[in-house]
Amino acid sequence: MANKEKTPPKKPAINPYWFYGSIVLFFLGMSFFGDGNSLGEDQKINISTFERYLNDGEVSRVVVINKNTAQVTLTEEALAETKHKKAKSSDFLGRTNDAGPHYQFEVGNLELFQKKLEAAEANGVAFSYEFKTVESRWLDVLIGFLPLILIIAVWLFIMRRMSGGGAGGGGAQIFNIGKSKAKLFDEKADVKITFKDVAGLEGAKEEVQEIVDFLKNPTKYTVLGGKIPKGALLVGPPGTGKTLLAKAVAGEAKVPFFSLSGSDFVEMFVGVGASRVRDLFKQAKDKSPAIIFIDEIDAIGRARGKNNITGSNDERENTLNQLLTEMDGFGTNTNVIVIAATNRADVLDKALMRAGRFDRQIYVDLPDLKERKEIFKVHLKPLKSDPKLDIDFLAKQTPGFSGADIANVCNESALIAARKNKKSVGRQDFLDAVDRIVGGLEKKSKIITPEEKKTIAFHEAGHATVSWMLEHAAPLVKVTIVPRGQSLGAAWYLPEERQIVRTEQMLDEMCATLGGRAAEDIIFNKISTGALSDLVKVTQQARAMVTIYGLNDKIGNITYYEANGNEYGFTKPYSEETAKLIDTEISAIVEKEYKRAVQLLKKHKNKLTKLAEHLLEKEVIFKDDLERIFGKRPFEKEEVKEAEPVEKPKTTTRKRAAAKPKAEDSTKAKSDN
């Protein structure tokens, strides 16, 4: 903080447009003052002197300008005489006026002057004369310099485009191309967000609040010998509130806050990224103590040396090297804290992650039940919601939702209520919003044949029946055969929030997923392409059991999981024999669960048929309908009953897609976990 006193006075910035204007004025002045057509006082004569030169045959041409000024051009022989020495004028660049005109004078009476010229011509004097009307010399000057002006304009335009900015940007001119594009947070102009606006994220907020408190009250920590942390890295899935947390830091901290994106360092010119890093830290140091926030740091912070051509000059690596040096090198910037955010921490360079650079790695996870409740409270404030709205119910219906998803649910519910001309947003609007976001928009006008509709009904009834009969399958909430988005039918489930998953739980989920195809096989003795999304899901789950989680007896307690997120290259970490065994075990797991689903449905075929017929009649059925047909689930937990929806909750959906594989794949719900 002592650096603040030693800060040198800021030099006034030089506008480059003054430079361009000076060049233009120089050329215009040179044209006007240095042009050979501009005659000085020495070249002015009277009309009698002109008549003498004319009668002596020394004049080759006379031009009368605007009826009042005559310009005289001498012959080459006359210019060689000493008396006409001053006629050969020169500009300030040393160019002589050989072509003329050499003299000028006032004409006076134009009629009389014209008669004198005609008389001289009649007497055999060899010369020419003409009359001109010139409106403005500046127009001629501008026309003469038009190509030069156009070249300068095109050059300025190209430089502005290549430097990546318009007017006002840090790199708007070629002279500022190496300057930082960081935006300084303005408390007056920018919307101020505080920690009160950030719901949930208690652990992350505590870490970040400590950094802000350190900058506000440094002596509280330095008196004990503590040092200010160099940086904090916010890591987590998209939409969990990393950038929002940084905005809250900007609103809370009473210190300069520089905000920019990782892509702002990237430029087509070599060395620009490193130059912008240097300029950014220089600005921050001048205003220290200060905070720098780099969003999406993985744009420049990727691990070095991978996929790099030998001997190439990687601009991104140069930028990263400069960032590493600025954060913790010989020229370490004191009292400058760097906060960065990314959802790809696995691809970042190890040197960036070490202590002394990003001292703290704060994981911003998806919100749990309590945090979702707090997030709902924040986003419900601007809404005109029903006073009887149960926030606990909404939080329980949205497992796996991020903060951004919940914000979208609240906004969508308000739009739905407005569409229905309601005066407040009610519970049903929120449930419809969840359905809309997860499943897509209802398409009741979509043409489906009666045979296809019957197939879809039995498919969805198969999912519902198997999940109802299995202990660890997610409890069903709603089944519909109304087309929604690109799917022809869907089933909503409310999965239990688990931190760990056991083998029997995964197997039950796989069995319930295969219940749709098993129902088609039992009822119609045929199978269709509509189960593609189900097959994709169970194949991924089976592969994860075998190759990642070590839940297969034959493979054993071995994992082939790549922690850095990189896919296998040309070589796999296991032999060909192991690869065959993996494929065999994956197939065995899937087929075993399929057979289990078939057995369950054969055992309860009558109830399956009754449920499908009821679904064909009503198109949408809920948990109450299943209880009337199957009875209560014997293994249902009490806490689930409290969140039991009466009509339409959400969350994990299994969709039956259309026959096209491409459309099927695109209907995969985000909560299909």
Side-chain angles (χ1 to χ4, degrees), residues 376-422:
F376 265 110
K377 287 181 180 178
V378 171
H379 292 294
L380 284 174
K381 283 182 182 178
L383 297 185
K384 198 174 182 180
S385 57
D386 190 347
K388 298 179 181 179
L389 186 65
D390 187 3
I391 299 178
D392 290 332
F393 171 77
L394 296 178
K396 290 175 180 177
Q397 307 311 305
T398 51
F401 274 41
S402 66
D405 294 330
I406 293 174
N408 195 19
V409 168
C410 294
N411 182 65
E412 191 68 32
S413 64
L415 298 179
I416 292 172
R419 203 177 297 136
K420 297 178 181 177
N421 297 319
K422 291 185 176 181

Side-chain angles (χ1 to χ4, degrees), residues 108 167 181 201 281 324 384 389 415 443 498 536 586 625:
K181 293 184 176 182
L201 311 177
F281 278 86
L324 295 174
K384 198 174 182 180
L389 186 65
L415 298 179
K443 296 181 179 179
R498 309 183 183 113
V536 170
I586 292 172
D625 300 301

Side-chain angles (χ1 to χ4, degrees), residues 23 75 79 115 150 176 180 355 415 432 460 465 467 551 563 630:
I23 294 176
T75 62
L79 282 173
K115 288 180 180 179
L150 289 175
N176 292 331
S180 170
L415 298 179
D432 291 341
E460 300 301 335
T465 303
S467 65
L551 299 178
F630 296 103

Side-chain angles (χ1 to χ4, degrees), residues 261-264 266 295-302 316 342 347-348:
S261 171
S263 60
D264 290 336
V266 181
D295 201 7
E296 307 297 343
I297 196 174
D298 51 279
I300 60 168
R302 289 178 177 266
R316 181 181 55 77
T342 181
V347 302
L348 294 180

Side-chain angles (χ1 to χ4, degrees), residues 160-461:
R160 287 171 64 88
R161 296 290 297 216
M162 289 196 305
S163 59
Q173 296 91 18
I174 187 65
F175 299 99
N176 292 331
I177 194 170
K179 301 293 182 181
S180 170
K181 293 184 176 182
K183 179 187 177 184
L184 185 62
F185 178 79
D186 188 357
E187 291 186 3
K188 297 179 180 179
D190 298 331
V191 179
K192 189 176 179 180
I193 297 174
T194 63
F195 287 126
K196 294 180 180 178
D197 302 316
V198 183
L201 311 177
E202 295 302 327
K205 277 200 297 186
E206 187 178 347
E207 293 267 9
V208 176
Q209 275 179 316
E210 188 176 317
I211 294 174
V212 175
D213 188 48
F214 193 104
L215 292 171
K216 288 182 177 179
N217 309 300
T219 54
K220 177 181 174 182
Y221 301 90
T222 55
V223 72
L224 300 175
K227 293 183 180 179
I228 190 169
K230 295 292 177 58
L233 182 65
L234 304 175
V235 183
T240 51
K242 299 184 295 295
T243 306
L244 181 66
L245 199 58
K247 289 181 180 178
V249 173
E252 291 282 349
K254 303 298 181 183
V255 297
F257 187 92
F258 297 88
S259 173
L260 75 167
S261 171
S263 60
D264 290 336
F265 295 106
V266 181
E267 195 62 73
M268 64 177 290
F269 299 112
V270 176
V272 171
S275 176
R276 287 178 179 172
V277 171
R278 285 191 297 270
D279 186 68
L280 171 63
F281 278 86
K282 182 179 179 299
Q283 291 182 37
K285 190 178 180 181
D286 291 342
K287 295 180 179 289
S288 66
I291 297 176
I292 296 173
F293 174 64
I294 305 175
D295 201 7
E296 307 297 343
I297 196 174
D298 51 279
I300 60 168
R302 289 178 177 266
R304 293 165 292 179
K306 294 183 179 180
N307 302 323
N308 189 20
I309 303 172
T310 306
S312 65
N313 184 8
D314 194 339
E315 176 64 12
R316 181 181 55 77
E317 287 193 5
N318 295 339
T319 307
L320 175 58
N321 293 339
Q322 187 63 45
L323 180 62
L324 295 174
T325 304
E326 294 289 346
M327 289 189 69
D328 188 19
F330 279 107
T332 302
N333 293 296
T334 56
N335 299 332
V336 176
I337 295 178
V338 182
I339 300 176
T342 181
N343 51 18
R344 297 291 310 279
D346 53 315
V347 302
L348 294 180
D349 196 274
K350 291 181 180 179
L352 198 63
M353 306 285 284
R354 75 160 176 84
R357 290 194 174 110
F358 284 110
D359 299 292
R360 300 184 179 182
Q361 295 179 32
I362 305 169
Y363 191 74
V364 186
D365 203 355
L366 291 171
D368 56 19
L369 180 63
K370 182 183 176 183
E371 290 174 336
R372 289 199 301 273
K373 183 179 176 181
E374 294 177 3
I375 295 171
F376 265 110
K377 287 181 180 178
V378 171
H379 292 294
L380 284 174
K381 283 182 182 178
L383 297 185
K384 198 174 182 180
S385 57
D386 190 347
K388 298 179 181 179
L389 186 65
D390 187 3
I391 299 178
D392 290 332
F393 171 77
L394 296 178
K396 290 175 180 177
Q397 307 311 305
T398 51
F401 274 41
S402 66
D405 294 330
I406 293 174
N408 195 19
V409 168
C410 294
N411 182 65
E412 191 68 32
S413 64
L415 298 179
I416 292 172
R419 203 177 297 136
K420 297 178 181 177
N421 297 319
K422 291 185 176 181
K423 294 183 178 180
S424 62
V425 186
R427 164 174 165 159
Q428 191 60 48
D429 299 318
F430 280 95
L431 296 176
D432 291 341
V434 171
D435 292 348
R436 168 72 177 87
I437 292 170
V438 176
L441 189 66
E442 285 190 352
K443 296 181 179 179
K444 294 184 178 181
S445 60
K446 196 167 188 174
I447 300 174
I448 302 174
T449 63
E451 185 180 355
E452 287 178 333
K453 195 171 183 179
K454 187 177 180 182
T455 304
I456 297 168
F458 274 98
H459 183 102
E460 300 301 335

Side-chain angles (χ1 to χ4, degrees), residues 119-131:
E121 194 175 27
N123 293 330
V125 180
F127 76 103
S128 62
Y129 65 92
E130 62 177 318
F131 298 86

